[in-house]
Amino acid sequence: GAGVSQSPSNKVTEKGKDVELRCDPISGHTALYWYRQSLGQGLEFLIYFQGNSAPDKSGLPSDRFSAERTGGSVSTLTIQRTQQEDSAVYLCASSSQGAWGEAFFGQGTRLTVV
Amino acid sequence: AQTVTQSQPEMSVQEAETVTLSCTYDTSESDYYLFWYKQPPSRQMILVIRQEAYKQQNATENRFSVNFQKAAKSFSLKISDSQLGDAAMYFCAYRPGANSKLTFGKGITLSVRP
């Protein structure tokens, strides 16, 4: 595709429910990132995939959060038993391999837990 | 651990004037990559400018330039001839290697006064 695509763009869910957020990276990009951005705040790193290497999961805030990347392309971020503090914008980015691999971002998914 | 610090949460500039946004980082690497990203109200992250640490010459992109001080671990962004469209949140980011995690600072909100 032309850019990084995230779906849904908005998601409202009830506390305790599970949610899945999807990211379609730019074709051919080997790196994929997930970040969380609370209202007016900075980008909190969640997880990083690079090619076939084991993902860097060091930013996942709890075991309720998980992510996978199938076939080196599409990624899904899953939040189980959602809590109100999970409400935020979840941003996905992808980049090509190499030193100047610019990270291209999607528009994000705004998650609201009620 | 690598950290990126943006100590100014907000700044304001008069249209047509020049403003400098500060960023410092902490690293033990000798070569790395630094970026400034812009996030307007649309939420779409856009790369503004980038710098490779071993290149001493400061990067310039039209009205945007950086002041890279490697010894001081400082990477500030200068916006000349500020325009209303420059109003956004600006994030400084660091990557230690070609295929490594991208770490962001907390961001600074820039407003432009007409």
Side-chain angles (χ1 to χ4, degrees):
Chain A
V4 178
S5 177
Q6 291 188 247
S7 59
S9 55
N10 287 284
K11 175 72 176 178
V12 180
T13 190
E14 293 181 351
K15 179 181 172 181
K17 300 284 189 183
D18 297 352
V19 294
E20 286 189 350
L21 311 181
R22 178 186 169 103
C23 174
D24 281 274
I26 293 173
S27 178
H29 278 189
T30 57
L32 187 147
Y33 306 82
W34 282 100
Y35 294 90
R36 179 168 69 175
Q37 186 176 27
S38 301
L39 186 62
Q41 300 300 308
L43 273 68
E44 176 188 6
F45 167 76
L46 297 177
I47 189 169
Y48 166 58
F49 296 89
Q50 175 57 266
N52 295 322
S53 302
D56 178 349
K57 303 180 181 180
S58 60
L60 294 178
S62 75
D63 60 7
R64 295 187 296 106
F65 288 72
S66 63
E68 63 177 20
R69 188 177 185 193
T70 53
S73 180
V74 172
S75 177
T76 302
L77 176 69
T78 301
I79 308 173
Q80 296 178 312
R81 305 181 302 282
T82 52
Q83 304 294 314
Q84 288 187 329
E85 60 263 30
D86 298 335
S87 296
V89 174
Y90 290 81
L91 290 168
C92 175
S94 71
S95 68
S96 58
Q97 197 167 14
W100 283 121
E102 174 188 344
F104 291 85
F105 282 79
Q107 290 271 33
T109 294
R110 182 178 297 281
L111 175 66
T112 304
V113 182
V114 298
Chain B
Q2 295 102 17
T3 60
V4 180
T5 302
Q6 295 179 253
S7 57
Q8 309 152 305
E10 297 179 352
M11 286 197 75
S12 180
V13 63
Q14 188 75 36
E15 193 176 7
E17 296 294 309
T18 295
V19 64
T20 298
L21 311 182
S22 301
C23 173
T24 59
Y25 56 93
D26 184 29
T27 185
S28 57
E29 303 289 334
S30 59
D31 196 19
Y32 46 86
Y33 307 89
L34 297 163
F35 306 83
W36 277 98
Y37 277 84
K38 171 184 178 182
Q39 187 182 42
S42 67
R43 213 165 70 195
Q44 181 66 58
M45 294 279 283
I46 305 164
L47 178 66
V48 175
I49 198 165
R50 54 194 175 188
Q51 174 87 36
E52 187 166 6
Y54 80 79
K55 292 185 178 179
Q56 295 187 345
Q57 185 174 4
N58 289 324
T60 300
E61 289 286 345
N62 300 313
R63 297 183 295 108
F64 299 87
S65 61
V66 299
N67 182 6
F68 174 49
Q69 301 288 329
K70 190 172 184 179
K73 297 180 183 176
S74 171
F75 182 61
S76 59
L77 175 69
K78 186 172 81 171
I79 306 173
S80 304
D81 186 25
S82 296
Q83 301 176 359
L84 296 178
D86 294 334
M89 203 160 182
Y90 286 82
F91 293 93
C92 179
Y94 164 93
R95 175 190 285 149
N99 299 308
S100 304
K101 185 175 72 180
L102 190 60
T103 301
F104 286 84
K106 291 190 178 297
I108 178 171
T109 300
L110 176 67
S111 59
V112 181
R113 304 186 302 274

